[in-house]
Amino acid sequence: MSSSSASPTIPSDPFASRSRWLWVLLLTLLLHILLLVWGNRQFGVPAPVHRPEPMVMATLTPLPPVEKPVLLPQAPKPAPQTTKQVSKPSAPARPKAAPEPSVEVPDTPIRETVTPIVDAGPAAPAAADAAAAAAPPAAEPAPAAQAEAAPPAGKHYQTNPPPSAELKYDVQALQKGQNYHGSGKITWQTDGGSYTVNGEAGILFFTVLDFKSEGEINGFGVAPVTFTQKRRNKPPTQTIFHRELNRIVFSSSPQSYPRSGGEQDRSSVVWQLASIGRGDSTQFAPGVVIDLFVAGPLDAETWRMQIVGQEKVNVDGNDVDTWHVIRIPEAGSHEQRLDIWLAPRQEWYPVKIRFTDKDNDYIDMSLSKLKQLGQTAAH
């Protein structure tokens, strides 16, 4: 009887089986990655990129230079009186007596007469000619004096000043690499015929700027009479717009300029721009230039205010539609750059003001609270 025996079954290594499946999975994952990369290159699917918020950059068109201001002649200073020590003269020599002239005795006796005063008419042309010949020639008026007599008239805009209001601002400043925070306030008051502007800005416990402008509202719009400014650690200055003398004079400077109407000070210029926009909004358009003659604490010059365009500004957490107006000083000037944002839907009030020095230090004032006031007399 033959017997057959079956060969025994050798069990497979479980670790080798798992290793084989692991290699299959890795190969499949690698193929998927290669397929995705190939698909992105073929069909141009962009990879997600974090992009910062877009910034609006305004391109300002180069403008011709502004007209230079006309300075009035300064009054000449009196020459100092010098006292010279004069030596005591010796006894003067007596002058020789002049010989007496011979007197011709008239035939008729001399009578005392009184000649009446008569109008110098055509009866005595020879005397008039002689007087004219004897008189020195009249000096021609200096060009500055002619400018004072007939100064150029300012440009008229359609204006409508904003109603009285109290505006409070959050102040941020960069001074010599240090950031500071503070607060500011501007109070604008008008009764339709006159106005006052009181303003101040403070950082920490110090008031860095204090100013006041007052004047009238006339055909030119806002017309200042006096402008007073006080900066920290400096004495106050006053600028006066003389109506009777038609001059702009300064308490801290001997210079003076002719006044013809339409001139502004450094505080009233903001409210004149608001009055122009409120008077007729079509006077504001991107690229429009408004030239205003502006007097500061020591001198005056033409400020070329260029309207950049409409921008949204964050005011106390809300986006506000504004017109951005900018003044860039001429090259080489020590003046500050001035940026103003006026809000048409808020009576054209200045919701943001920024002063920038030539070394990029700045003071930024952003509106935090607005309170309209009643129509009261400005004082």
Side-chain angles (χ1 to χ4, degrees), residues 33-236:
I33 292 174
L34 293 175
L35 181 62
L36 288 174
V37 173
W38 177 83
N40 288 340
R41 292 180 178 179
Q42 290 294 323
F43 301 102
V45 180
V49 179
H50 176 70
R51 301 180 184 276
E53 295 183 1
M55 296 182 63
V56 179
M57 301 297 293
T59 303
L60 300 179
T61 305
L63 300 172
V66 298
E67 296 181 1
K68 298 298 180 182
V70 178
L71 275 170
L72 294 178
Q74 300 180 16
K77 296 181 179 179
Q81 296 181 355
T82 57
T83 57
K84 293 183 179 180
Q85 294 183 355
V86 182
S87 59
K88 189 175 181 180
S90 58
R94 293 184 179 181
K96 296 181 180 180
E100 296 182 357
S102 58
V103 179
E104 200 174 297
V105 179
D107 294 339
T108 56
I110 299 176
R111 297 180 182 178
E112 187 177 295
T113 59
V114 178
T115 305
I117 300 176
V118 296
D119 295 333
D129 293 343
E140 295 183 1
Q146 293 177 352
E148 180 183 6
K155 183 177 179 179
H156 282 268
Y157 292 93
Q158 186 71 28
T159 60
N160 184 14
S164 302
E166 180 185 80
L167 300 91
K168 293 185 178 181
Y169 295 86
D170 290 331
V171 177
Q172 295 184 2
L174 176 66
Q175 301 292 327
K176 298 180 180 179
Q178 296 293 326
N179 290 303
Y180 299 95
H181 297 271
S183 61
K185 182 175 71 172
I186 297 178
T187 304
W188 160 263
Q189 290 181 290
T190 180
D191 58 0
S194 59
Y195 81 91
T196 58
V197 179
N198 287 279
E200 62 181 19
I203 297 175
L204 297 178
F205 304 104
F206 305 102
T207 300
V208 296
L209 181 61
D210 189 351
F211 57 86
K212 180 179 182 180
S213 173
E214 55 185 346
E216 61 185 16
I217 306 296
N218 58 22
F220 287 97
V222 179
V225 175
T226 58
F227 170 62
T228 306
Q229 177 177 287
K230 173 70 173 70
R231 286 187 176 272
R232 183 170 176 260
N233 298 330
K234 293 184 179 180

Side-chain angles (χ1 to χ4, degrees), residues 347-364:
E347 302 291 357
W348 289 81
Y349 291 127
V351 297
K352 189 179 179 67
I353 305 173
R354 187 182 181 98
F355 305 91
T356 307
D357 294 331
K358 62 175 183 176
D359 54 2
N360 291 328
D361 284 355
Y362 65 84
I363 297 178
D364 187 284

Side-chain angles (χ1 to χ4, degrees), residues 95 150 247 321:
R247 286 191 179 196
D321 293 326

Side-chain angles (χ1 to χ4, degrees), residues 162-320:
S164 302
E166 180 185 80
L167 300 91
K168 293 185 178 181
Y169 295 86
D170 290 331
V171 177
Q172 295 184 2
L174 176 66
Q175 301 292 327
K176 298 180 180 179
Q178 296 293 326
N179 290 303
Y180 299 95
H181 297 271
S183 61
K185 182 175 71 172
I186 297 178
T187 304
W188 160 263
Q189 290 181 290
T190 180
D191 58 0
S194 59
Y195 81 91
T196 58
V197 179
N198 287 279
E200 62 181 19
I203 297 175
L204 297 178
F205 304 104
F206 305 102
T207 300
V208 296
L209 181 61
D210 189 351
F211 57 86
K212 180 179 182 180
S213 173
E214 55 185 346
E216 61 185 16
I217 306 296
N218 58 22
F220 287 97
V222 179
V225 175
T226 58
F227 170 62
T228 306
Q229 177 177 287
K230 173 70 173 70
R231 286 187 176 272
R232 183 170 176 260
N233 298 330
K234 293 184 179 180
T237 61
Q238 189 174 58
T239 304
I240 303 174
F241 300 74
H242 268 300
R243 278 3 185 208
E244 297 80 6
L245 303 177
N246 277 335
R247 286 191 179 196
I248 304 174
V249 297
F250 310 89
S251 65
S252 301
S253 172
Q255 301 188 75
S256 63
Y257 298 84
R259 190 202 70 86
S260 60
E263 295 84 5
Q264 303 296 322
D265 60 51
R266 296 193 176 189
S267 170
S268 67
V269 63
V270 177
W271 298 95
Q272 175 69 351
L273 290 169
S275 302
I276 293 173
R278 197 167 180 268
D280 184 1
S281 60
T282 61
Q283 297 175 117
F284 271 60
V288 168
V289 169
I290 299 176
D291 285 346
L292 297 172
F293 194 69
V294 180
L298 300 175
D299 55 12
E301 62 179 326
T302 300
W303 281 18
R304 174 150 289 171
M305 312 300 299
Q306 186 173 1
I307 300 174
V308 179
Q310 291 180 299
E311 295 179 5
K312 285 187 180 294
V313 174
N314 187 277
V315 178
D316 198 22
N318 300 315
D319 288 339
V320 178

